[in-house]
Amino acid sequence: MSDKTYEIGLKPVELENANEEQKQILERAKKANGMIPNMYKNMVNLPGLQDTYDLGYKHFREQSGFTPAEQEVVFLTLSIDNDCGYCTAAHSFIADNMSKTPEEVTNAIRDGKEIPDAKMKALSEFTKIMNESRGNPTPEQAKRFLDAGYEEIHILGIILAQSVKTISNYSNHIFHTEIDDAFAGRKLEKA
């Protein structure tokens, strides 16, 4: 993150200084993650932001139609495309340890190299197209994605992921969120 970008003055909310609404959200995060990620401590300054993120994230995981590995391809592609170092590290960690995304796929996305799996490559490329075109792919671009084995409902899943990543990526930008120790091993070092 550039130190030439605005950093919001709001401080992370800790359990001991949280109001009741914030405390419920943070306790839910701790129960789900075994920790309270720094990103959550920041976003919960506006509880509705954190609640909206949580709900969208849950729906993407449950309803997108993508496998867990494909979900990480979408989230990681968006995080890289949106230049969010925090989410890049977090989703790389999740890809490696929970979603079982092949490491060569994760590393290719992280390094901007060709993805060795054709279907995952098509998914990452179309996710990036959706993000960069603001949801306006050409018919040819959509056809390539659909020809790779995806369905139109998956396009809606990508839109849901874009919504979730806009909340988390932009919040991390404005807070200059510090990467949690748990994800630090997958911090993307820029050349």
Side-chain angles (χ1 to χ4, degrees), residues 30-131:
K30 187 174 184 177
K31 183 178 179 185
N33 301 296
M35 62 182 261
I36 303 172
N38 290 333
M39 179 181 82
Y40 286 64
K41 293 175 188 178
N42 292 334
M43 288 196 306
V44 80
N45 272 282
L46 181 63
L49 183 68
Q50 183 67 54
D51 272 342
T52 301
Y53 171 83
D54 288 345
L55 183 61
Y57 186 90
K58 177 181 184 288
H59 286 321
F60 177 75
R61 292 292 191 191
E62 294 174 354
Q63 298 177 14
S64 68
F66 294 118
T67 66
E70 290 170 326
Q71 291 172 3
E72 293 314 322
V73 166
V74 172
F75 276 156
L76 188 56
T77 298
L78 291 168
S79 296
I80 293 278
D81 203 41
N82 290 336
D83 197 26
C84 182
Y86 182 93
C87 286
T88 296
H91 284 291
S92 296
F93 174 86
I94 294 168
D96 295 343
N97 297 288
M98 298 169 190
S99 300
K100 305 303 180 201
T101 308
E103 194 169 324
E104 61 271 12
V105 171
T106 304
N107 288 339
I109 295 168
R110 289 168 53 89
D111 298 338
K113 296 185 176 169
E114 185 161 339
I115 298 170
D117 178 285
K119 191 171 183 185
M120 296 276 198
K121 177 183 175 186
L123 175 58
S124 181
E125 287 176 351
F126 190 70
T127 298
K128 191 169 181 158
I129 287 166
M130 285 292 291
N131 204 45

Side-chain angles (χ1 to χ4, degrees), residues 19 21 26 48 83 115 120 123 125 138 163 165 170 179:
N19 66 35
E21 188 176 12
L26 292 173
D83 197 26
I115 298 170
M120 296 276 198
L123 175 58
E125 287 176 351
T138 66
S163 302
K165 285 292 104 191
Y170 288 19
I179 296 171

